[in-house]
Amino acid sequence: MRIDIISAVPELLSGPLDYSIVGRARKAGHVEVVIHDLRSYTTDKHGKVDDYPYGGGAGLVMTPQPIFDCIQSLQKQRAYDEVIFPTPDAPVIEQQKVNELTLLNNIILLCGHYKGVDQRVRDELVTLEVSIGDYVLSGGELPAMVLVDGIVRLLPGVLGDAESALDDSFQDGLLSPPVYTRPANFRGNTIPEVLTSGNHNEIRKWREQKAIELSKKVRPDLYNKFINKS
Ligand code: 6GU
C-alpha cells in the first residue's frame, strides 16, 4: 500500500510516522508513506496557500490552486483509490471503515486547516471525508496520522501473532479486557488468579466477561449494539 499525505505543515508529520509500529512497517516495506509539502506547489510569489473567505468570517481558507496542482500531479503518476479529506464536518470513522481502507492500494490524505479548504476541492477532488471524533483540532495533520496508524497496523505482516489486531477493542464490537504483566504482586496489589491458572478456557471466559462489564459501564452504546446482535 502507498499513502501520500499532503500538508502545508509537513514538519508535523515526519517525526511521528518514523517510529514504532508505523516506522517499522515502512522500513520493512509493508507500506510506503510519502509526505508532500503543499507550499512547494503554490504559484503565489509569497508562498501563500490560504486566503480570506469570500463573504467574510473568521479564519483563512486554503486556496484551490496548490491543492489541485499537487493532487493532479500525483494522479498522473498512478491511480488512487481514494482522496481522503479528514475534517470535523464529516461522519465519524469507525473500525469497520478503517478495516476497509486497508484493502486499498493507493490513497491520498489531504490535511487542511480546520477553517477549511475551498469547497471546489471537496467537490471535485475529494472522494471520502472522515472525522475522527466530535471535537475540533486545529488542522488535519493529527487526524491524518490517526488514520495512517489505524490502517498500517492492520496490514498483513505488520503486527506479529502476539500483538494480533483480531482481539482489538471494537473488532468484536466490545472494549478490550484489562491486561496485566509481571510482577504478579506489585506493592501488595495482586493480579486476578485465573490468569495464572493455565486454564485457557477459563481465561477466555474471564476476558469475555470483563470486556462485557467494561463496555456496559463506560460505553453503553457499544454494549447495547453487542447484546442486540448476539
Ligand atoms: Cl478529521 N480534522 C480536524 N481539524 N478536527 C477534527 C477532525 C478532523 N476530527 C475531529 N476533529
Side-chain angles (χ1 to χ4, degrees), residues 9-222:
V9 203
E11 298 80 4
L12 285 173
L13 299 165
S14 32
L17 298 175
D18 286 341
Y19 297 96
S20 192
I21 288 175
V22 174
R24 286 200 294 275
R26 291 173 76 181
K27 284 187 196 99
H30 296 298
V31 64
E32 188 179 355
V33 179
V34 185
I35 296 167
H36 304 273
D37 183 355
L38 190 64
R39 286 180 200 285
S40 67
Y41 289 86
T42 184
T43 55
D44 179 85
K45 50 182 180 296
H46 307 292
K48 269 192 344 165
V49 294
D50 49 22
D51 210 332
Y52 296 99
Y54 276 117
L60 295 171
V61 174
M62 293 173 71
T63 57
Q65 176 271 315
I67 300 175
F68 268 79
D69 285 356
C70 181
I71 291 179
Q72 288 176 337
S73 124
L74 288 171
Q75 285 174 330
K76 275 192 199 125
Q77 297 166 56
R78 65 192 66 72
Y80 285 91
D81 303 297
E82 297 279 13
V83 176
I84 304 174
F85 179 52
T87 178
D89 54 0
V92 174
I93 189 164
E94 294 182 355
Q95 187 65 55
Q96 176 57 38
K97 186 69 193 174
V98 177
N99 294 351
E100 288 170 26
L101 294 178
T102 66
L103 303 175
L104 304 180
N105 292 318
N106 299 311
I107 62 175
I108 291 174
L109 286 168
L110 171 65
C111 305
H113 283 186
Y114 92 99
K115 276 298 175 194
V117 311
D118 188 283
Q119 184 61 32
R120 290 164 290 188
V121 168
R122 299 172 70 166
D123 292 344
E124 291 179 36
L125 296 176
V126 170
T127 59
L128 178 65
E129 301 191 333
V130 296
S131 167
I132 63 160
D134 288 335
Y135 42 84
V136 176
L137 302 172
S138 49
E141 282 78 10
L142 285 165
M145 288 191 280
V146 166
L147 296 174
V148 170
D149 188 287
I151 292 168
V152 170
R153 61 188 294 284
L154 298 177
L155 297 176
V158 170
L159 295 185
D161 269 357
E163 333 165 89
S164 166
L166 290 176
D167 44 55
D168 282 347
S169 281
F170 299 110
Q171 287 294 9
D172 61 3
L174 290 176
L175 303 182
S176 293
V179 292
Y180 298 87
T181 186
R182 274 175 281 277
N185 182 332
F186 178 68
R187 301 180 185 174
N189 192 343
T190 57
I191 67 167
E193 231 166 82
V194 62
L195 296 179
T196 52
S197 68
N199 185 331
H200 295 292
N201 196 40
E202 284 303 312
I203 293 170
R204 189 188 49 74
K205 281 196 293 189
W206 179 86
R207 287 189 171 141
E208 191 174 276
Q209 187 51 39
K210 287 291 169 186
I212 291 171
E213 279 171 25
L214 179 66
S215 303
K216 186 174 183 185
K217 184 166 160 218
V218 308
R219 290 293 305 271
D221 56 322
L222 295 181

